[in-house]
C-alpha cells in the first residue's frame, strides 16, 4: 500500500505555512501556529481522525488571527488533496455525530471533487478565550475550497460555545477518518459512477 502522506508549503505576505500530514497515522500532532484555541481544535482532528498532523505558521497575528486561521485551512486542504491522490479505493463519504455534555454536532463529508460548505453553528458567544469564533467559517471554507470536498456542519444543540466548537472538530475528524479509509471491496475502483472525482 502506498503511503498517503503530503508536505505542503504556502507563503504569502500575510502567512508562511508548512503542513505535513499522514492520512494513515496514529493521531500524533505538533503545532506551532501561535493561536492556542485553533491548535486545540486541530488536535481534535488529529486525535479523532487518526491523522498525523504537523503544522507551522508564522502569521500577521499583530493584526488579528484572520489570515492565519484561513490560510491554515487552505494549506491543510491542499495537503489532503495531495495525500489522497486519485481517490481510488476510498470510502469517499464520512459522517459523525459527537456529543460533549449539552452540545451535539453532526458533520458529513464527501470527497466529491466539488467544493461546497454548509455550516450551521448558532454560536452563543462571539469569542472563546480571545478567539473570534467567526473565523472557523473561514477555516472550513479554506479547507473545502482546496480539499475539493462537500462539507455539511450542523451544531444540533448546545449553549456552551467551547463545547459547540469542540463537538464540530471532533465530528470533523471522525468523518474524515471514515471518508479516507481504504475500502477493501473497492480496491482500485473509483467510488463514483462517473469514473472520476
Amino acid at each position: 500500500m502506498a503511503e498517503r502522506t503530503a508536505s505542503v508549503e504556502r507563503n504569502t505576505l500575510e502567512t508562511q505555512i508548512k503542513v505535513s500530514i499522514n492520512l494513515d497515522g496514529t493521531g500524533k500532532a505538533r503545532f506551532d501556529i501561535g493561536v492556542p484555541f485553533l491548535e486545540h481544535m486541530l488536535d481534535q482532528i488529529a486525535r479523532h481522525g487518526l491523522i498525523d498532523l504537523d503544522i507551522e505558521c508564522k502569521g500577521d497575528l499583530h493584526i488579528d488571527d484572520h489570515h492565519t486561521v484561513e490560510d491554515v485551512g487552505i494549506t491543510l486542504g491542499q495537503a489532503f488533496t495531495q495525500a489522497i491522490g486519485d481517490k481510488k479505493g476510498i470510502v469517499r463519504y464520512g459522517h459523525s455525530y459527537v456529543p460533549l455534555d449539552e452540545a451535539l454536532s453532526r458533520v458529513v463529508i464527501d470527497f466529491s471533487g466539488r467544493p461546497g460548505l454548509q455550516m450551521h453553528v448558532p454560536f452563543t458567544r462571539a469569542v472563546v478565550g480571545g478567539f473570534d469564533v467567526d473565523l472557523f467559517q473561514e477555516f472550513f471554507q479554506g479547507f473545502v475550497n482546496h480539499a475539493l470536498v462537500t462539507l455539511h456542519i450542523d451544531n444540533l444543540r448546545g449553549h456552551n460555545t467551547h463545547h459547540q466548537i469542540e463537538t464540530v472538530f471532533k465530528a470533523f475528524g471522525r468523518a474524515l477518518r471514515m471518508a479516507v479509509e481504504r475500502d477493501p471491496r473497492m480496491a482500485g475502483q473509483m467510488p463514483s459512477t462517473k469514473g472520476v472525482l
Side-chain angles (χ1 to χ4, degrees):
M1 292 267 186
E3 217 175 41
R4 299 189 298 171
T5 61
S7 293
V8 175
E9 289 191 33
R10 184 174 193 272
N11 295 297
T12 72
L13 295 177
E14 298 166 339
T15 59
Q16 296 81 50
I17 303 175
K18 294 179 184 177
V19 172
S20 295
I21 64 170
N22 179 355
L23 298 184
D24 304 303
T26 59
K28 291 184 296 190
R30 188 188 76 84
F31 307 112
D32 182 7
I33 299 170
V35 183
F37 194 65
L38 175 63
E39 292 178 356
H40 178 45
M41 293 302 113
L42 291 169
D43 197 31
Q44 306 306 321
I45 297 173
R47 188 73 49 92
H48 294 279
L50 291 181
I51 297 164
D52 293 345
L53 283 178
D54 190 318
I55 303 176
E56 294 179 25
C57 178
K58 288 182 173 52
D60 54 2
L61 298 178
H62 60 285
I63 296 174
D64 70 5
D65 296 344
H66 187 115
H67 299 137
T68 294
V69 175
E70 180 180 20
D71 290 4
V72 166
I74 289 169
T75 313
L76 184 61
Q78 291 171 337
F80 262 84
T81 296
Q82 188 174 311
I84 206 162
D86 64 11
K87 303 178 191 172
K88 287 182 180 176
I90 66 166
V91 172
R92 175 181 167 178
Y93 301 99
H95 60 86
S96 183
Y97 287 80
V98 169
L100 174 57
D101 297 342
E102 87 300 343
L104 174 66
S105 291
R106 174 184 62 217
V107 174
V108 183
I109 194 166
D110 175 12
F111 276 82
S112 60
R114 297 184 306 280
L117 175 64
Q118 291 291 320
M119 184 170 173
H120 303 280
V121 182
F123 294 119
T124 56
R125 280 186 291 152
V127 175
V128 173
F131 185 88
D132 176 357
V133 298
D134 284 344
L135 295 182
F136 282 124
Q137 175 95 23
E138 305 302 326
F139 170 84
F140 284 114
Q141 191 67 66
F143 178 85
V144 160
N145 289 347
H146 293 270
L148 302 176
V149 299
T150 300
L151 181 63
H152 288 253
I153 298 171
D154 294 282
N155 174 242
L156 304 175
R157 61 181 61 95
H159 56 77
N160 180 307
T161 303
H162 189 133
H163 292 173
Q164 289 176 292
I165 297 166
E166 192 161 333
T167 56
V168 164
F169 273 85
K170 286 177 175 175
F172 180 56
R174 295 188 70 82
L176 283 170
R177 177 179 169 186
M178 180 186 292
V180 303
E181 279 291 313
R182 291 184 169 111
D183 183 345
R185 294 178 64 198
M186 287 290 290
Q189 296 181 58
M190 185 64 70
S192 169
T193 55
K194 291 195 298 286
V196 65
L197 285 173

